[in-house]
Amino acid sequence: GDVMFLRARAAFQKGELKEAEDLVRELIKRDSGGLRLHHACVLLQAEILSASGRQLEAHDALIGFLDVAVDGDFQHEAFTLLQRVREDLPEDKRAVLPAEVFAWIAQVTRPEHQGNALFLAADWLADRGRRVEATGLFEALLVGHPGHRMESEAMRRVMEIHGAQGH
C-alpha cells in the first residue's frame, strides 16, 4: 500500500493526474493499508480532483472526510486544502458556507476540529466584508483554543481587520 501511495504521489507531482487518480482509487478500494494510509489517500484524491479542475468534487470529498475524521494527523492539512479548494469554486458555491462547518463549530468535544472550523468560518466572513462577525469568530478561536495551529494566522487577520477599520 505504501509503495503504491508513493507511486500515486509521484505521478501527481509529475502532472500525470489520470495515473495518480487510478492508483489512489485502487488504494481506497483495497482498504488494506490502515486508517492513516486511507486518510492520506483521501486527501491526495482531493488534491488530484482539484488539480484536474474538479473543485466541486474535491470540495465534497473534503467535507465528507472532515465530517467523519477524528482529530489528528491529517485534519489541519484537510482544512487547509478545503480552504484552497473553496477559493477556486464558482462564486455561487463560494457564497455559501457548508452546513457541516456550523456543526463542527458546535462540537466542543473535538477542539482541534472546532478551532479549524472557526477559522474557516471567520475567513469566509472576512472575505465577504463582514468584519465584525469575522473578528468575533477569530477572537473565539484565540480565546477558546490557545496554542491552536491557526492561532498566529487568526491573530494576524484580527489585526488586519482592526487596522482596516482605523483602530
Side-chain angles (χ1 to χ4, degrees):
D2 291 345
V3 172
M4 192 179 223
F5 178 79
L6 292 175
R7 283 181 38 221
R9 170 64 66 191
F12 173 67
Q13 289 174 330
K14 288 192 293 187
E16 298 166 357
L17 302 180
K18 175 78 172 96
E19 182 183 344
E21 186 174 2
D22 291 345
L23 287 166
V24 168
R25 189 174 288 125
E26 179 62 31
L27 270 168
I28 290 172
K29 192 168 50 175
R30 282 185 189 177
D31 200 31
S32 60
L35 195 57
R36 191 169 163 74
L37 180 61
H38 179 75
H39 288 173
C41 286
V42 170
L43 290 186
L44 180 55
Q45 185 178 42
E47 283 186 89
I48 293 165
L49 290 168
S50 178
S52 301
R54 293 153 58 196
Q55 270 65 32
L56 281 174
E57 288 178 66
H59 179 269
D60 292 347
L62 288 165
I63 294 291
F65 171 78
L66 285 165
D67 210 31
V68 297
V70 295
D71 284 6
D73 300 329
F74 295 104
Q75 190 169 129
H76 178 73
E77 290 79 4
F79 269 102
T80 302
L81 182 56
L82 178 62
Q83 221 164 343
R84 257 193 0 250
V85 166
R86 285 189 57 77
E87 289 170 9
D88 294 331
L89 287 175
E91 179 52 38
D92 64 318
K93 299 293 184 190
R94 235 183 16 245
V96 178
L97 201 58
E100 290 88 349
V101 175
F102 300 106
W104 301 335
I105 289 171
Q107 290 179 331
V108 294
T109 57
R110 298 174 71 192
E112 182 184 350
H113 209 64
Q114 184 184 45
N116 283 321
L118 281 167
F119 186 88
L120 186 69
D123 185 60
W124 176 79
L125 287 165
D127 287 347
R128 302 259 155 313
R130 295 166 62 180
R131 293 185 176 120
V132 173
E133 295 154 295
T135 300
L137 289 185
F138 282 130
E139 289 173 352
L141 168 61
L142 293 169
V143 171
H145 302 277
H148 192 277
R149 289 173 87 164
M150 297 306 290
E151 183 178 47
S152 60
E153 182 62 17
M155 180 67 73
R156 185 188 71 73
R157 295 294 300 272
V158 167
M159 292 179 354
E160 190 178 271
I161 290 168
H162 283 303
Q165 293 175 322
H167 296 159

